[in-house]
Amino acid sequence: VSQAWAATWVPHRRAVPLCQEVSVSPTTNALHEEATRCDAQDPLRAFREHFTFPRGDADQPHVYLCGNSLGLQPKGSRDAVLMELDTWRELAVDGHFRGPNPWYSYHEPLAPLAAQIVGAKPHEVALMGSLTNNLHLLMVSFYRPTNQRYKIIIEGGAFPSDRYAVASQAAFHGLDPNDAIVEIRPRDGEATLRDEDILDTIRREGERVALVLFGAVHYYTGQRFDLGAITAAAHEIGAVAGFDLAHAAGNVPVDLHDSGADFAAWCSYKYLNCGPGSAAGIFVHHRWSDAGHLPRFAGWWGNDPETRFRMPERFSPQRGAAGWQVSNAPVLGLAPFRASGTLFAEATMKKLREKSVALTTFLLDAIEARLPNDVRVITPRVAASRGSQLSLQLSRGGETLQRRLQDAHVIADFRPPDVVRLALAPMYNSFQDAARVVDVLDACLSES
Ligand SMILES: Cc1ncc(COP(=O)(O)O)c(C=O)c1O
C-alpha cells in the first residue's frame, strides 16, 4: 500500500444493496477481506461456475474485466453448438424438421428469452443477423426523411459503426451527412452528457428531426441513458426513437416496451455471452406490429412461416419483429444463446442489476480511496446513470498499462492514450476481481 494513498485515506461507509455496511479499508488486506465477505453474501456467486475463464500461457486464471467487449463462454454453450453439429452430421437436411431442436423453428423459443432480458413482449423481438446490419434494416423502415424532416440525432462519440451507419443512411437518401447528423456532445470539461442537454437538443431541433438514435449505454464512458425520457422527447417532436443496446443488453434493465422506444438492436457477444459474431437481436415496438405498409428490405424468413415454403410470389410479413427477418436463422450462431439465455432467466435482470450496482460501487469507492490523484473516473458516479462498466482516465502510465495488466493476468480494455475500461459482469465477476484490479492499478501507477 503506497504511503501517499495511506495519507489521503478518509474512512467512509456506503450502503450497497448486496453487501450492507461495506467500507473500503485502508489496507489491501482489508479490501480483500471486504471483497471476500461480499462474495460470500452474493446470491449470484454460483453463476461464476458456469463460465470458463481464460488462463493464458502461464496457466493462471485471469481476472476478466472485458465482458463489455466479449463476454466469457458459458460452459453450456459448447454442448449447445455441438448438439447442432451432431444433428447436421446425423440428419443433414432433415435437421430442419427433425432432431432435438428442428432448425426451421430453432429461433422461435429463443425470442421470448431475449425479450425478458430487454423488457419486451415476445413478439417485439427477433434474433437475427448482426448489429450494424440490423440497424441498417431497421433504419430502412424507420428513417424516412423528407425535405423538412431529415435529421438524425445521435450521442457524441458514438461507436464508429453507428456513426458510419447513420451517415451512410443519410447519404443513401441523397442528404449531406454533415447537415443531417446532429451529435450531442458533453459540455466543456465534462466527460458525459447531461440529460437536460439531450432533451433540449431534441426539442430545439424539433420538426427537422426524423430519428433519434442513441446508444442505451455509451461504449466509451459507460454512461447509461434514460430511454423513456429520450423516447418521450423524440415523440413529442414527431420523430422516431431507436436505440443501440450493444452495451446495455444483459447489462442494465432497459424495459424497451415500457420506454415506448420504436426500435432497438443489439449484439449478443458482450454481456449476453454468446461468442464472437453470434446472432444479434432486434426490437420493434408493438405499435408497429402490423405495419405491413412500412418499407423494408424483405427476405423469405420475414414472411409468414405458414406460407413460407409454398414459395409465394408476394411477400407477406409476419406480425411483429419477426417480419424484419431476412435470411434463415443462423442456427450455429444462435445455439450459444440457448445456454446463456437460460442463465439469464435463472439469474434475472433484477438480481444481476443489484449485483452490478454493488460491484461497481465497491470498485468505484476503492479506486477513489486508493488512487485519488492518479485516476479520474469518467463514468457517472450516480449508479442509475451507469451499467457494469467503469471508465478510468489515468494521469500517467497509459503507455505501458496494457502490458502491465496482462503481466498481472488482468484482462481489461485499454483505449489509448489514457483510458482503461473495466467491466464487472455480475454474471461471473466477483468482488475479489474488483479488489484485485485495484491492487494491480495501484502497483502499475506507483511504478510509473
Ligand atoms: C455500441 C456499438 N455499436 C455497434 C457495434 C458494432 O457491432 P457489430 O460489429 O456486431 O455490427 C459495436 C461493437 O462493439 C458497439 O459497441
Side-chain angles (χ1 to χ4, degrees):
V1 181
S2 77
Q3 291 300 316
W5 169 75
T8 57
W9 165 247
V10 184
H12 64 288
R13 282 181 177 272
R14 197 183 298 270
V16 295
L18 280 181
C19 187
Q20 298 302 315
E21 296 180 36
V22 165
S23 62
V24 177
S25 306
T27 67
T28 299
N29 280 346
L31 182 65
H32 282 268
E33 279 164 22
E34 290 289 351
T36 305
R37 200 164 63 78
C38 291
D39 282 332
Q41 290 175 14
D42 170 11
L44 299 182
R45 64 186 176 281
F47 282 84
R48 189 175 166 91
E49 301 308 317
H50 290 284
F51 289 84
T52 311
F53 284 74
R55 299 183 67 89
D57 296 341
D59 198 24
Q60 281 261 353
H62 289 316
V63 174
Y64 193 80
L65 304 176
C66 244
N68 55 345
S69 182
L70 182 77
L72 288 181
Q73 184 184 118
K75 290 176 182 165
S77 60
R78 188 182 162 81
D79 286 344
V81 174
L82 287 177
M83 182 182 278
E84 302 319 317
L85 286 176
D86 287 349
T87 303
W88 178 23
R89 188 185 58 200
E90 307 297 330
L91 299 177
V93 72
D94 283 347
H96 283 298
F97 296 101
R98 288 176 49 214
N101 311 300
W103 301 329
Y104 187 68
S105 50
Y106 192 87
H107 52 297
E108 288 173 6
L110 300 181
L113 268 183
Q116 270 179 27
I117 298 172
V118 295
K121 310 281 180 209
H123 69 281
E124 291 175 321
V125 167
L127 300 183
M128 56 189 260
S130 55
L131 172 55
T132 311
N133 281 325
N134 290 343
L135 282 173
H136 276 301
L137 291 174
L138 289 163
M139 280 193 274
V140 163
S141 300
F142 291 106
Y143 176 53
R144 307 294 306 153
T146 63
N147 284 346
Q148 289 73 38
R149 191 186 275 286
Y150 61 93
K151 296 209 173 197
I152 306 176
I153 296 186
I154 61 171
E155 76 275 24
F159 191 82
S161 200
D162 293 22
R163 182 84 184 47
Y164 306 153
V166 292
S168 59
Q169 285 283 333
F172 176 72
H173 287 282
L175 298 163
D176 172 4
N178 292 323
D179 175 36
I181 294 168
V182 179
E183 287 182 77
I184 310 179
R185 301 228 167 247
R187 293 187 189 186
D188 282 350
E190 298 183 9
T192 53
L193 293 176
R194 296 196 193 186
D195 288 343
E196 66 264 32
D197 290 353
I198 300 172
L199 304 182
D200 287 350
T201 308
I202 294 173
R203 290 182 188 125
R204 193 184 60 238
E205 294 291 337
E207 288 176 3
R208 289 187 294 265
V209 182
L211 170 66
V212 177
L213 182 71
F214 246 70
V217 172
H218 196 284
Y219 89 97
Y220 189 75
T221 65
Q223 179 176 15
R224 178 192 186 196
F225 297 112
D226 184 340
L227 271 55
I230 293 173
T231 301
H235 286 174
E236 239 172 68
I237 57 157
V240 168
F243 293 93
D244 175 343
L245 305 187
H247 288 262
N251 175 14
V252 291
V254 274
D255 299 327
L256 279 176
H257 178 83
D258 290 344
S259 75
D262 293 288
F263 71 88
W266 57 92
C267 56
S268 61
Y269 44 78
K270 297 179 187 289
Y271 294 95
L272 292 177
N273 308 317
C274 290
S278 56
I282 67 161
F283 162 89
V284 178
H285 196 277
H286 175 74
R287 77 175 70 86
W288 299 106
S289 283
D290 295 313
H293 62 283
L294 282 179
R296 65 184 95 192
F297 285 173
W300 73 317
W301 222 249
N303 196 84
D304 180 354
E306 295 302 317
T307 59
R308 190 187 284 144
F309 265 90
R310 287 187 222 141
M311 306 297 183
E313 210 162 276
R314 206 170 146 271
F315 174 70
S316 60
Q318 300 183 53
R319 285 194 77 229
W324 270 265
Q325 295 172 107
V326 179
S327 296
N328 72 95
V331 170
L332 295 176
L334 282 168
F337 188 61
R338 288 182 80 87
S340 167
T342 306
L343 291 178
F344 274 92
E346 285 168 15
T348 72
M349 277 312 294
K350 181 172 179 294
K351 287 206 191 114
L352 287 163
R353 174 64 180 158
E354 283 168 7
K355 179 173 171 187
S356 162
V357 170
L359 272 173
T360 43
T361 305
F362 179 89
L363 179 60
L364 191 57
D365 287 352
I367 285 171
E368 291 196 337
R370 276 275 280 284
L371 308 162
N373 303 317
D374 305 319
V375 161
R376 173 187 173 220
V377 179
I378 58 175
T379 308
R381 282 208 59 90
V382 180
S385 299
R386 63 170 193 262
S388 300
Q389 171 185 325
L390 292 185
S391 302
L392 317 179
Q393 192 168 32
L394 311 172
S395 62
R396 60 184 187 284
E399 320 74 48
T400 54
L401 188 78
Q402 187 82 355
R403 186 183 48 72
R404 284 161 178 247
L405 288 172
Q406 273 166 9
D407 290 348
H409 309 293
V410 172
I411 302 184
D413 177 85
F414 181 68
R415 299 268 144 174
D418 57 3
V419 168
V420 61
R421 301 184 305 159
L422 309 174
L424 285 160
M427 189 73 94
Y428 50 75
N429 281 124
S430 64
F431 289 83
Q432 275 297 348
D433 290 340
R436 174 102 181 100
V437 76
V438 175
D439 286 350
V440 170
L441 282 175
D442 193 2
C444 293
L445 292 168
S446 37
E447 284 165 25
S448 302

